[in-house]
Amino acid sequence: MSRKHKNAVKVNIPEYQTIREIIFEGTARGGDKKQFMFLDRNKQLQELNFNQTFYRIRTLSTYFYSKGIMDGKKVAIISENSGDWAFAYYAIIVGGNVCVPMDAKLTYEDIEDQVIRCDCDAVVYSKKFEKLAEQMKANSQVPQMEYFFMNEFDEYYAEGEKLIEAGNDYFDKVEVKPDDLAAIVFTSGTTGKSKGVMLTHKNVASNCSASLRVLTGRHAIAFLPLHHTLSWVSALYATYIVSEWGYLCDGINHIQQDIKKFKPYNFTGVPLVAETVYERVWKTARKMGKEELLKKGLKISNFLMKFGIDVRKKLFKEVLENLGGELNAFTSKEDTTVHATVLRGDFTKAVELLADVVFHSTFPDKELDKEREVILDEINTYRDSPNDDIYDSFEDLIFAGSELGHNILGTPRSLKGINSAAIHRFRARTHTTDKMVF
């Protein structure tokens, strides 16, 4: 399936069969392109490209192998969100082993219980859980395991590199099948004792293929704890599938500043995240002595909107600059989707804005000329990628004589014939309420 839209020149998402396939193909496409930004152990901002991340995955997995971690061994990760968490996760699964991610907010006793019930073969832990690791080593009920300390990862990378240079090709030759176990994820246990859910490579890979077709394809911020499977889809694998970068947030405490700094196009979270942002907007307003001003602004805005006067961008410029909403659109061969991502309290305003965009856009020729140049560049870029261009060639053959066989971007010739009047005629013919779904 191909989905093309303004924010992503091309996002061809096949039906992946294994996680290893996602990582290897994504690395080949991404190369030296920026992939991750994150705070290191010293809270310094770091940036890695796809090749640099793959180096860490390959060398770390090779080091794990040298310690007997191979052929489906179960490895627990006990850590807060971090770049190290992600590298360990990739190294475990792509290396043919099984990842058991732990909720870092659980009590020591609960984590120990899950490690015992899962019969783990190894544990990867951060500095924050160093005491727990020592406690488990002394607990006779905890199985004998290998322990890997994240603060020593640099040494592990170096040792793994030496092993590879000496001829160790375990990582390169690992065979992973779709039905092989990839992870064991424990439920929250809100209705009783937590249960370990077994996920195969195909389970995770197919979810990624399906879920990522609704994302914009631009950069994102990962706020959810990385042991959440939703974080895997929206962050850890999204970057490989759409070849875009993401910021791995180390917690929700700095969510407002992180949104302002990194300006994400994709934001995946649970209701608590949205509620936290909403509360902090008002908390910040009170702290700055602007709570009453914000309330008055809302009243003025709502009043003027009744007369069709929209001054929200001017009135709430400071709020938008600190948080920002997201209004966007994308086009497939069969539909056009216009969508907005806003705080829950702004739902009604978002609907009004979407309706205005769909029914009252003006399409001035001057702006169309600018967009035409952008699309021409996209067409040229697309043609420079044979791996993507082959999809269009295939569809040209399958849907010969049908509009479904045409590339959504069009051709240089077809773009020349598009002007404001033509778009208005097209919209009047196709964008009617009887053909819309809200």
Side-chain angles (χ1 to χ4, degrees), residues 356-363 421-432 436:
D356 193 38
V357 169
V358 172
F359 294 108
H360 303 115
S361 292
T362 57
F363 305 110
I423 293 180
H424 279 293
R425 289 194 298 270
F426 176 80
R427 186 181 62 181
R429 185 177 74 253
T430 60
H431 289 51
T432 54
M436 293 183 181

Side-chain angles (χ1 to χ4, degrees), residues 89-105:
Y89 171 82
Y90 291 136
I92 294 165
I93 295 182
V94 181
N97 295 296
V98 181
C99 183
V100 187
M102 297 292 175
D103 184 348
K105 293 185 178 180

Side-chain angles (χ1 to χ4, degrees), residues 129-145:
F129 293 93
E130 191 172 12
K131 181 179 179 181
L132 173 59
E134 295 303 319
Q135 179 177 307
M136 289 195 294
K137 290 176 184 178
N139 188 344
S140 60
Q141 293 183 330
V142 175
Q144 292 294 314
M145 301 183 295

Side-chain angles (χ1 to χ4, degrees), residues 20 24 53-71 75 86-98 124 148 153 156-161 163-164 168-174 176:
R20 185 177 171 91
F24 272 72
T53 300
F54 189 78
Y55 165 82
R56 297 193 178 198
I57 297 172
R58 187 180 183 219
T59 55
L60 188 58
S61 185
T62 301
Y63 179 79
F64 287 163
Y65 169 77
S66 73
K67 298 301 179 180
I69 308 304
M70 65 185 85
D71 301 328
V75 185
F87 307 139
Y89 171 82
Y90 291 136
I92 294 165
I93 295 182
V94 181
N97 295 296
V98 181
V124 178
F148 300 101
F153 267 19
Y156 300 166
Y157 298 141
E159 184 62 29
E161 183 176 15
L163 291 168
I164 293 171
N168 188 319
D169 59 357
Y170 166 79
F171 180 82
D172 298 330
K173 292 185 176 181
V174 169
V176 175

